[in-house]
Amino acid sequence: MDPKLGRMAASLLALLLLLEGGMFSSHSLPPALLEKVFQYIDLHQDEFVQTLKEWVAIESDSVQPVPRFRQELFRMMAVATDTLQRLGARVTSVDMGSQQLPDGQSLPIPPVILAELGNDPTKGTVCFYGHLDVQPADQGDGWLTDPYVLTEVDGKLYGRGATDNKGPVLAWINAVSAFRALEQDLPVNIKFIIEGMEEAGSVALEELVEKEKNRFFSGVDYIVISDNLWISQRKPAITYGTRGNSYFTVEVKCRDQDFHSGTFGGILHEPMADLVALLGSLVDSSGHILVPGIYDEVAPLTEEEINTYKAIHLDLEEYRNSSRVEKFLFDTKEEILMHLWRYPSLSIHGIEGAFDEPGAKTVIPGQVIGKFSIRLVPHMNVSVVEKQVTRHLEDVFSKRNSSNKMVVSMTLGLHPWIANVNDTQYLAAKRAIRTVFGTEPDMIRDGSTIPIAKMFQEIVHKSVVLIPLGAVDDGEHSQNEKINRWNYIEGTKLFAAFFLEMAQLH
């Protein structure tokens, strides 16, 4: 063969292997550099855990609207700003104004951090989103340790925010710090957008992203979020989709005051009876939603999609035991995953105005409000779902011939998000996982809602990937939240390898 043709054939084969995302060998990355970075991370893991301990100690609760927690949130953002500046980042702390609460109180919103490291036009630019606020936590609520004192037990780091989301944010920062400490050039330009109000609905963030679309985000090529969990305890995952959420209230009212059941029981259309009938009409005992037309726009199931569920590692017995559930609605891995990710679900959350305290109180509530939500999937539309639910409840209520008044409201409407798994950063993430963990990742969706992913995709128009670090049993939002030391440290290596893979593939 002509040598020139041979070289062309070899180049073409290399390109095809790259595009195909064939089995990755660490030799594709600079092995000496990779080894140095990983060794640095291993040697400094106690320092990384200590920093996480310091961050967990800040009670950055955004859910409870009280001045003390807001002060803690501002302190948390200041600590993060200082950490990034010491790395050499150019940091802007964006004033987000104040939040008006229903009781007339006004509280300041913590600033959003916009930070930049590197602006080499020949490199790709990866933007990392994270949040440093947490859910409420109190040791009296069932925590085995003080939730704001990071406590290590058997390799598990317990503390509020350890996995959601302080641990993953620090893992990204730690990965950057490894390159800096080794005096190595960062393989990619890196930007950060870090907020302090995610758990309270990311107040005012969408407006900021819209405003910065052609400024801060103009040079961004890819967006990475690490704010969810694996589906197993040991096998890493990449998330490419989440469900949306439509949250409803249905109010049934007779009058403002409650009634005595001995005086009025038997002669009224009781609001609670109406409400229970309405809530009972929404979903059957097999989890099937009874609202007419609700499944019409659900994306059809393909053979290729079924195969992705078959490939996912999920030990049903372990999953059931860790969930402390006697029996699920479905018996196979594939059915469970599909009903968590690609089919809608309806959940009834509670009733406001009903007697719910210990003891016996013979009261007839004069007014009650039921609360429920529907998790949406591609290609369901929020406004269409709102109309379908309202029409259904009105039909059910009219058949009861009740003299009470009923009002249906949708208080939250968030669309589902799904990404193209063939985008460059998905290939880079897969390769980085193979390097660090020696396995193919589970390609998963998330049954919950992560509005920021859809928001970035729609406003910034860049590829978004979710690279979770935490194990399925981390207990985000729950008592005894934790992140495993192994996940935290190997996750730091994963992000470092991801930077190098992005540099190769960009």
Side-chain angles (χ1 to χ4, degrees), residues 318-328 478:
E318 178 190 281
Y319 186 55
R320 190 181 58 76
N321 289 336
S322 66
S323 306
R324 297 198 293 275
V325 172
E326 191 174 313
K327 191 179 189 305
F328 290 120
S478 186

Side-chain angles (χ1 to χ4, degrees), residues 118-132:
N119 58 359
D120 185 337
T122 65
K123 295 178 181 178
T125 299
V126 181
C127 180
F128 179 84
Y129 162 86
H131 69 89
L132 297 176

Side-chain angles (χ1 to χ4, degrees), residues 124-409:
T125 299
V126 181
C127 180
F128 179 84
Y129 162 86
H131 69 89
L132 297 176
D133 59 317
V134 299
Q135 284 280 323
D138 189 287
Q139 192 165 354
D141 290 338
W143 282 76
L144 299 175
T145 59
D146 184 332
Y148 294 107
V149 176
L150 191 74
T151 306
E152 185 165 7
V153 181
D154 298 330
K156 297 176 172 62
L157 303 167
Y158 291 95
R160 177 56 91 216
T163 199
D164 183 19
N165 185 226
K166 294 177 182 181
V169 171
L170 272 173
W172 188 273
I173 291 172
N174 296 341
V176 173
S177 75
F179 284 93
R180 281 287 195 250
L182 294 167
E183 299 182 342
Q184 294 290 333
D185 197 24
L186 277 171
V188 289
N189 303 314
I190 291 175
K191 293 192 176 190
F192 292 85
I193 174 167
I194 301 175
E195 66 159 323
M197 290 294 285
E198 192 270 349
E199 303 291 4
S202 296
V203 179
L205 185 69
E206 187 169 350
E207 292 85 345
L208 175 66
V209 173
E210 189 73 59
K211 186 176 159 188
E212 293 290 338
K213 179 172 64 173
N214 298 315
R215 293 187 298 192
F216 179 77
F217 292 104
S218 64
V220 169
D221 298 302
Y222 313 99
I223 295 170
V224 176
I225 301 170
S226 183
D227 191 22
N228 62 319
L229 303 175
W230 300 347
I231 199 170
S232 77
Q233 292 186 13
R234 296 291 290 182
K235 191 178 181 192
I238 299 171
T239 305
Y240 64 94
T242 63
R243 290 194 289 190
N245 193 11
S246 291
Y247 199 101
F248 290 89
T249 63
V250 52
E251 176 184 348
V252 181
K253 181 176 179 178
C254 180
R255 69 174 191 183
D256 292 329
Q257 289 174 284
D258 291 342
F259 299 91
H260 188 297
S261 65
T263 308
F264 290 95
I267 62 170
L268 291 178
H269 288 115
E270 295 189 11
M272 182 68 91
D274 283 342
L275 181 59
V276 168
L278 290 166
L279 296 177
S281 76
L282 292 169
V283 62
D284 68 18
S285 60
S286 67
H288 185 80
I289 303 172
L290 300 174
V291 176
I294 202 79
Y295 292 96
D296 289 354
E297 300 304 316
V298 174
L301 182 62
T302 64
E303 194 65 36
E304 183 185 6
E305 188 185 339
I306 291 171
N307 289 333
T308 65
Y309 301 126
K310 288 178 179 174
I312 289 168
H313 173 74
L314 178 67
D315 184 324
L316 280 187
E317 193 64 22
E318 178 190 281
Y319 186 55
R320 190 181 58 76
N321 289 336
S322 66
S323 306
R324 297 198 293 275
V325 172
E326 191 174 313
K327 191 179 189 305
F328 290 120
L329 290 174
F330 306 97
D331 298 321
T332 68
K333 173 184 72 174
E334 291 77 15
E335 285 178 306
I336 283 176
L337 293 177
M338 286 192 286
H339 284 87
L340 279 175
W341 299 343
R342 63 109 51 231
Y343 289 124
S345 64
L346 189 149
S347 301
I348 296 168
H349 305 297
I351 296 176
E352 190 179 322
F355 174 61
D356 66 344
E357 295 167 14
K361 185 178 178 184
T362 56
V363 66
I364 299 172
Q367 174 184 359
V368 283
I369 301 171
K371 300 178 182 184
F372 65 94
S373 69
I374 299 175
R375 293 285 176 178
L376 310 180
V377 297
H379 304 287
M380 296 171 76
N381 180 282
V382 167
S383 58
V384 171
V385 168
E386 181 182 15
K387 290 187 182 77
Q388 289 169 333
V389 168
T390 303
R391 189 182 308 123
H392 169 72
L393 289 174
E394 285 172 348
D395 287 347
V396 173
F397 188 68
S398 68
K399 288 170 185 167
R400 288 184 62 80
N401 297 315
S402 174
S403 59
N404 295 322
K405 299 289 183 287
M406 183 198 73
V407 177
V408 181
S409 304

